[in-house]
Amino acid sequence: MTSLTLALSKGRILEDCLPMLDRLGLAPAGDIDRLLRVPSRDPNLHFLIIRPTDVPTYVEHGAADLGIVGKDVLMEHGGEALYEPMDLDIAKCRLSIAVVKGSPFDRPPGTPTTLRRRVRVATKYPEITRRFFAARGEQVEIIKLYGSMELAPLVGLADLIVDLVATGNTLKANGLVETEIICQVSSRVVVNKASMKMKHAALRDLLARLQTLRAAA
Ligand code: ATP
Ligand code: PRP
Ligand code: MG
């Protein structure tokens, strides 16, 4: 039998995937809190438990045959080198622009700025942000952060943020408001292009099993 390696995004996506994998009889058979390479209950499937941002890299280079990763991470990484055959519809959120409520930046999307400097945008997604504003003909100063973006406009580090929003509770708790949605986000299955050819039957079967769960959800 062909063996497959699946790169799983640690954190929310892993949590959301576990019940799905369990229903398919594919749950990890090992300590997912410590082990980085974990067998599944199916001897032909192994998991790599890695940081979400590393999943596209592992799959692109063939260190994993397939992966499960957020659309946000894929858009930032650039997904051209990967197949993206399935939307799992889990870990759903949106990527949005947010500002301090009532600040000069709290205004309708696209309102021209009267600032004499570039608007400063704090984000974990510099590429998506650059593309989004460039498409609108705006050049912004991007401040790359690795988490807790909501803090940046509160302490004057940035004028606005580009970050994920789900319930909106984090924005609200920090006195921020969402002014514009850039895109909707959910978790996707991505597949290495060479694996899709060389391990076609095994991948087709696994994708079909994941698809039945989606249909049943
Ligand atoms: P790290 O910074 O350690 O790499 P992370 O912050 O990217 O981790 P998570 O917060 O678990 O890890 O998010 C993983 C993915 O889950 C994101 O890429 C996104 O697709 C989705 N996600 C993030 N935040 C939310 C949220 N609040 N609600 C639903 N899905 C979310
Ligand atoms: C994510 C995101 C927001 C929050 C949005 O942060 O970056 O801060 O969730 O969710 P909400 O709209 O339901 O409040 P996370 O908890 O992953 O922290 P991080 O910044 O360390 O990634
Ligand atoms: Mg997070």
Side-chain angles (χ1 to χ4, degrees), residues 93 127 179 197 202:
C93 50
E127 266 310 301
T179 52
K197 289 201 185 85

mmCIF file of all heavy atoms in Angstrom, residues 93 127 179 197 202:
data_model
loop_
_atom_site.group_PDB
_atom_site.id
_atom_site.type_symbol
_atom_site.label_atom_id
_atom_site.label_comp_id
_atom_site.label_asym_id
_atom_site.label_seq_id
_atom_site.Cartn_x
_atom_site.Cartn_y
_atom_site.Cartn_z
ATOM 1 N N CYS A 93 -13.189 32.205 9.296
ATOM 2 C CA CYS A 93 -13.050 33.566 9.791
ATOM 3 C C CYS A 93 -12.919 34.470 8.566
ATOM 4 O O CYS A 93 -13.182 34.014 7.449
ATOM 5 C CB CYS A 93 -11.832 33.693 10.711
ATOM 6 S SG CYS A 93 -10.300 33.031 10.025
ATOM 7 N N GLU A 127 2.186 40.483 2.404
ATOM 8 C CA GLU A 127 1.968 40.316 0.962
ATOM 9 C C GLU A 127 0.523 40.605 0.571
ATOM 10 O O GLU A 127 0.251 41.315 -0.387
ATOM 11 C CB GLU A 127 2.339 38.887 0.519
ATOM 12 C CG GLU A 127 3.755 38.752 0.022
ATOM 13 C CD GLU A 127 4.090 39.819 -1.030
ATOM 14 O OE1 GLU A 127 3.409 39.880 -2.067
ATOM 15 O OE2 GLU A 127 5.021 40.597 -0.798
ATOM 16 N N THR A 179 -13.558 47.920 9.366
ATOM 17 C CA THR A 179 -14.056 48.868 8.361
ATOM 18 C C THR A 179 -14.246 48.203 7.006
ATOM 19 O O THR A 179 -14.975 48.711 6.161
ATOM 20 C CB THR A 179 -13.096 50.072 8.196
ATOM 21 O OG1 THR A 179 -11.785 49.576 7.955
ATOM 22 C CG2 THR A 179 -13.102 50.941 9.436
ATOM 23 N N LYS A 197 0.545 12.909 -8.981
ATOM 24 C CA LYS A 197 0.775 11.988 -10.104
ATOM 25 C C LYS A 197 1.218 10.622 -9.604
ATOM 26 O O LYS A 197 0.658 9.589 -9.974
ATOM 27 C CB LYS A 197 1.879 12.544 -11.006
ATOM 28 C CG LYS A 197 1.482 13.753 -11.799
ATOM 29 C CD LYS A 197 2.409 13.915 -13.022
ATOM 30 C CE LYS A 197 2.106 15.184 -13.772
ATOM 31 N NZ LYS A 197 2.792 16.356 -13.208
ATOM 32 N N ALA A 202 -3.990 6.571 -4.009
ATOM 33 C CA ALA A 202 -4.073 6.746 -2.546
ATOM 34 C C ALA A 202 -4.613 8.130 -2.201
ATOM 35 O O ALA A 202 -5.462 8.279 -1.300
ATOM 36 C CB ALA A 202 -2.690 6.540 -1.923
#
